Amino acid sequence: WIDARTRTDAVTNLSGLVAAYTPAESDEEPEHGIRRLLNRFASADHGERRLLVFDNVEDFSDLDGCLPRDARTQVVITTVRRTHALGTSVPVDTLAEEAAIAYLEERTGLGDREGAQAVCRAVGGLALAVAQAAAAITGRPEGYARFLTALAARPIRHNLLREEGGDYPLGAAQAIAFALDTGVARASTGELTGDQPRRSRMIAVLD
């Protein structure tokens, strides 16, 4: 998950992925490291599929030299701007409140409609944020109240901001980041079972 509001953000955050995949000398220019990473992706004949999310893009030219071209890497770009130049455009609307509440209640099994409603409103009703909230809450005895408390306390305004004039609520960014942290924490304590550890590793990469 790459915060890409500016060219500097995109390069800096993608460089963290470079360090994880293809570490090099400390004096390497960030753009050179990104080229090495993309070349590695392109030259790999097999391996796991990858998903890169470039979040809150303001100027699409900021992504020049940062986008993978290989067939095994999928790219999602989130933005409040409209374009068809980079691929298929998928408008994302908010969920109807009743649908979001029903989804949370089904996923969590908590039987607390008012709590579910409060969570839906806190994350702005965005489908991704509601889904990530459900992932963070499910199986936790504290339920919605703990999630809302953690959401309000999370110091995330400096790194996942709602774009001015856009419909990307701060609570949605907080919910996604909180769910990522929760998934990683559960994996580290052995709480996840079955297929969940593999999904948690994917979440950790996105983080």
Side-chain angles (χ1 to χ4, degrees):
W1 195 291
I2 308 298
D3 177 11
R5 282 172 291 156
T6 67
R7 172 71 180 182
T8 299
D9 290 331
V11 170
T12 299
N13 294 315
L14 192 54
S15 293
L17 194 60
V18 173
Y21 269 83
T22 58
E25 298 296 330
S26 58
D27 59 351
E28 180 182 47
E29 290 294 327
E31 287 82 0
H32 184 265
I34 291 172
R35 285 196 296 272
R36 284 194 305 104
L37 177 67
L38 299 184
N39 288 338
R40 173 173 174 173
F41 285 171
S43 62
D45 295 330
H46 54 81
E48 293 185 356
R49 292 184 178 275
R50 294 168 291 269
L51 171 65
L52 292 184
V53 179
F54 293 89
D55 196 27
N56 273 338
V57 176
E58 296 180 8
D59 186 341
F60 297 113
S61 66
D62 289 341
L63 301 182
D64 289 348
C66 295
L67 297 178
R69 304 292 181 182
D70 62 286
R72 300 192 68 82
T73 303
Q74 300 296 310
V75 175
V76 174
I77 298 171
T78 70
T79 182
V80 295
R81 303 183 184 279
R82 295 183 180 274
T83 184
H84 296 280
L86 295 177
T88 303
S89 178
V90 182
V92 179
D93 202 353
T94 57
L95 288 173
E97 186 172 275
E98 287 303 317
I101 291 171
Y103 173 81
L104 271 178
E105 285 288 80
E106 180 180 353
R107 280 287 307 276
T108 65
L110 291 174
D112 177 6
R113 189 184 186 284
E114 289 186 1
Q117 182 181 55
V119 169
C120 292
R121 291 179 177 179
V123 302
L126 288 180
L128 176 60
V130 173
Q132 295 303 315
I137 295 167
T138 299
R140 311 296 290 189
E142 303 90 346
Y144 299 123
R146 176 183 178 275
F147 179 82
L148 289 168
T149 299
L151 203 66
R154 187 175 182 86
I156 198 171
R157 293 181 181 272
H158 65 285
N159 56 27
L160 284 174
L161 299 177
R162 178 180 64 82
E163 297 303 321
E164 183 177 356
D167 296 323
Y168 189 58
L170 178 62
Q174 290 171 310
I176 294 166
F178 182 69
L180 294 173
D181 289 348
T182 301
V184 173
R186 290 185 184 181
S188 66
T189 59
E191 185 177 336
L192 301 184
T193 60
D195 189 46
Q196 290 177 313
R198 181 178 63 80
R199 294 200 299 269
S200 182
R201 287 195 295 273
M202 180 186 70
I203 290 174
V205 170
L206 292 178
D207 188 28

